[in-house]
Amino acid sequence: MTEEVLARGFYRRDSLAVAPDLLDRLLVVGDRAGRIVEVEAYCGADDPASHAFRGPTPRNLTMFGPPGHLYVYFTYGMHFCANVVCGEEGEAAAVLLRGLTALRGVDAMRAVRPTARRDRDLGAGPARLCVALGIGRAHDGADLVTGDRGVVVVDDGTRPAVVSVSGRIGLRVATDRPWRFYVPDAPGLSRPG
DNA sequence: ACCGGGATGTTCT
DNA sequence: GAACATCCCGGTG
């Protein structure tokens, strides 16, 4: 089966369109890789829950850049989370990566995530996903189209049979917007279902 | 299984 | 000073 890197144009669309299309794509970081099974869309200036809602800051600058780059942020004093920048440059739309099925480099993932009881827990959650793949501050701004810093998103032809939708998780505002997309019953979901 | 609290530090008000 | 796109652990049932 052929593997193709997703092109710039894939990301240059509304985050609500990109988000479900990212499901079952392979996220590759160096020697580790997994399948994206859960994401959330964030819609720039129109979205009170988005980091971009109040305009550009040093932290969220990557979101305002060109699409197809990784936006990595630090939160809760100890966790990194990773997004894919979408839409036109300046739009600051993004898709948060929340769940991963571990595929390659699973031994390395187990080594850095000793608290994971089962392999399906390795990438189950946005911060866990980053630890499992080794994503940190150094990856902020990496270009997913060129394979910058070893990070790339690949289409291997696999498509989800069904995509489920729900409200976003962990927010205090705009919680009612049904902008979470996931592959039901896939290993690596941040919560069962 | 489910729930509650604490960890930990950057960012913005 | 408060909030935070989270996770882990230890309680209870």
Side-chain angles (χ1 to χ4, degrees):
Chain A
M1 185 164 296
T2 157
E3 297 198 354
E4 275 186 68
V5 175
L6 294 180
R8 188 81 54 204
F10 176 89
Y11 303 100
R12 198 183 297 283
R13 297 181 290 147
D14 195 283
S15 57
L16 284 171
V18 174
D21 279 0
L22 276 172
L23 295 175
D24 274 357
R25 310 301 188 181
L26 302 182
L27 177 59
V28 181
V29 182
D31 295 332
R32 308 177 211 170
R35 200 174 293 286
I36 299 166
V37 294
E38 177 182 342
V39 297
E40 282 176 358
Y42 288 82
C43 297
D46 301 329
D47 181 359
S50 171
H51 290 172
F53 184 59
R54 290 173 178 83
T57 66
R59 176 212 211 186
N60 66 21
L61 205 55
T62 300
M63 288 184 85
F64 286 86
H69 291 245
L70 203 63
Y71 164 51
V72 179
Y73 69 90
F74 184 69
T75 190
Y76 287 105
M78 63 188 93
H79 298 304
F80 291 100
C81 298
N83 297 253
V84 172
V85 177
C86 300
E88 296 297 335
E89 180 165 358
E91 197 175 317
V95 174
L96 173 68
L97 306 176
R98 290 195 54 93
L100 189 86
T101 303
L103 287 187
R104 298 206 288 267
V106 177
D107 288 341
M109 297 188 197
R110 290 195 194 105
V112 293
R113 293 226 51 240
T115 60
R117 268 183 96 282
R118 309 161 294 175
D119 283 354
R120 62 188 304 126
D121 300 322
L122 288 170
R128 290 164 168 173
L129 179 153
C130 284
V131 173
L133 291 175
I135 294 173
R137 184 158 284 149
H139 298 275
D140 182 43
D143 189 342
L144 301 170
V145 179
T146 64
D148 184 19
R149 282 162 264 183
V151 189
V152 76
V153 178
V154 172
D155 172 12
D156 74 344
T158 305
R159 306 275 57 214
V162 182
V163 173
S164 291
V165 183
S166 81
R168 296 179 292 185
I169 293 176
L171 305 180
R172 302 181 48 110
V173 295
T175 53
D176 54 331
R177 305 188 188 193
W179 290 350
R180 172 175 175 254
F181 304 88
Y182 59 99
V183 181
D185 298 317
L189 294 181
S190 68
R191 42 185 73 178

